[in-house]
Amino acid sequence: MSSDLVVEDLVAGYGDAQVLHGVRFTVREGEVCAILGPNGAGKTTLLRALSGMVRTRGTITLGGVPLAGRSPDAVARLGVAHVPEGRGTFMPLTVEENLRLGAYVRRGPAVNDDLERIYQYFPVLKKRLKQAAGSLSGGEQQMLALGRALMLRPRVLLLDEPSLGLAPLVTRELFRIVQTINEEEQTTVVVVEQNAHLALGVAQQAHVLETGRIVLSGTAEEIRADEQVAQSYLGYR
Ligand code: ATP
């Protein structure tokens, strides 16, 4: 059975402040979907809604299984891993401890195999195994956050602004690894990203979110070709 992520009539916010106003889109299993939009549009809130971190109304399903209304822990157990903006790594813990925490919903010898798998994607993490996460560079910390999320063996990876604060070279490397993970493991990816060039470079589908509503959807090529997107997000025309 396919594990499409289907979002319908999604409403979410904080207290009385409604941020998302009826968002609807589908990410097909194994696809990369980019969410673009200006500051404050609700992109982070959308990812939080998908991972159960904010209250929602509407429908979110993964392979037909309802996710909406479940706790973040329950959503993680159903295969959705969220790499938040700011990464969420535990600074005093070592790289290895952070990675093992990522597998908290799983146990057993497979966890060691998965650590090896993560080191293949991120050889630098193997070198830094016993170092505190707080001593890593920004790029290494983002890799650690991604590695930790992969320890969950997710079916869906939610990435919030992975390029934030990173040098262009590091960002490109990070996106290359995301693309490899997507291709090798058929992991579905939803990525929120200010760097629209990079995001559209790895995505098949993209949506533009403005003031809590999707105002434009299409293939990455269609979105790239859109006059308004080009002006607002790609910096030309
Ligand atoms: P950015 O690119 O600046 O992170 P965004 O598109 O991710 O923007 P959100 O962070 O989802 O947007 O914010 C959408 C709206 O929700 C904003 O008006 C913001 O002020 C508000 N908001 C975000 N987090 C909270 C919170 N914890 N409590 C109350 N309001 C919040």
Side-chain angles (χ1 to χ4, degrees):
M1 181 180 168
S2 87
S3 289
D4 293 354
L5 177 69
V6 180
V7 178
E8 288 170 317
D9 306 323
L10 183 66
V11 171
Y14 307 91
D16 291 338
Q18 191 177 322
V19 174
L20 301 179
H21 307 273
V23 169
R24 164 187 289 265
F25 64 100
T26 296
V27 189
R28 283 206 293 273
E29 182 179 6
E31 269 189 359
V32 180
C33 167
I35 308 287
L36 311 178
N39 287 343
K43 304 181 298 297
T44 293
T45 304
L46 174 59
L47 293 192
R48 285 183 185 151
L50 296 180
S51 64
M53 290 165 68
V54 292
R55 273 172 190 265
T56 57
R57 279 188 285 123
T59 310
I60 306 167
T61 57
L62 179 61
V65 176
L67 301 183
R70 295 185 195 260
S71 67
D73 187 52
V75 175
R77 282 172 201 273
L78 288 168
V80 179
H82 187 165
V83 182
E85 198 176 342
R87 294 150 201 161
T89 44
F90 296 98
M91 298 299 179
L93 300 187
T94 65
V95 166
E96 185 177 359
E97 286 164 344
N98 266 282
L99 288 173
R100 286 188 182 277
L101 269 179
Y104 72 101
V105 296
R106 304 172 31 226
R107 286 272 179 273
V111 170
N112 288 331
D113 292 346
D114 280 359
L115 278 174
E116 285 307 318
R117 185 175 123 259
I118 304 300
Y119 299 147
Q120 277 170 16
Y121 287 126
F122 307 106
V124 68
L125 294 184
K126 189 161 190 173
K127 284 195 218 148
R128 307 255 187 274
L129 215 57
K130 302 296 174 197
Q131 272 180 237
S135 71
L136 303 183
S137 71
E140 290 164 352
Q141 280 182 24
Q142 187 65 64
M143 289 178 191
L144 176 57
L146 197 51
R148 198 182 63 169
L150 288 179
M151 289 297 286
L152 198 66
R153 291 206 189 167
R155 290 195 283 162
V156 179
L157 202 48
L158 307 176
L159 305 178
D160 198 351
E161 300 278 2
S163 78
L164 203 72
L166 302 185
L169 202 67
V170 179
T171 306
R172 275 202 294 279
E173 169 70 357
L174 201 69
F175 270 77
R176 189 191 60 74
I177 298 171
V178 169
Q179 193 164 24
T180 307
I181 292 164
N182 165 254
E183 286 169 3
E184 288 187 359
E185 313 206 10
Q186 280 77 53
T187 311
T188 306
V189 178
V190 182
V191 58
V192 162
E193 182 52 61
Q194 290 286 338
N195 188 329
H197 276 296
L198 270 175
L200 292 174
V202 299
Q204 286 86 45
Q205 296 285 322
H207 306 281
V208 177
L209 193 68
E210 283 179 13
T211 55
R213 291 180 176 82
I214 288 183
V215 294
L216 187 68
S217 295
T219 64
E221 292 74 42
E222 286 166 349
I223 298 293
R224 203 184 279 114
D226 183 88
E227 194 82 13
Q228 188 71 40
V229 169
Q231 266 179 22
S232 306
Y233 304 108
L234 297 171
Y236 54 84
R237 281 189 216 164

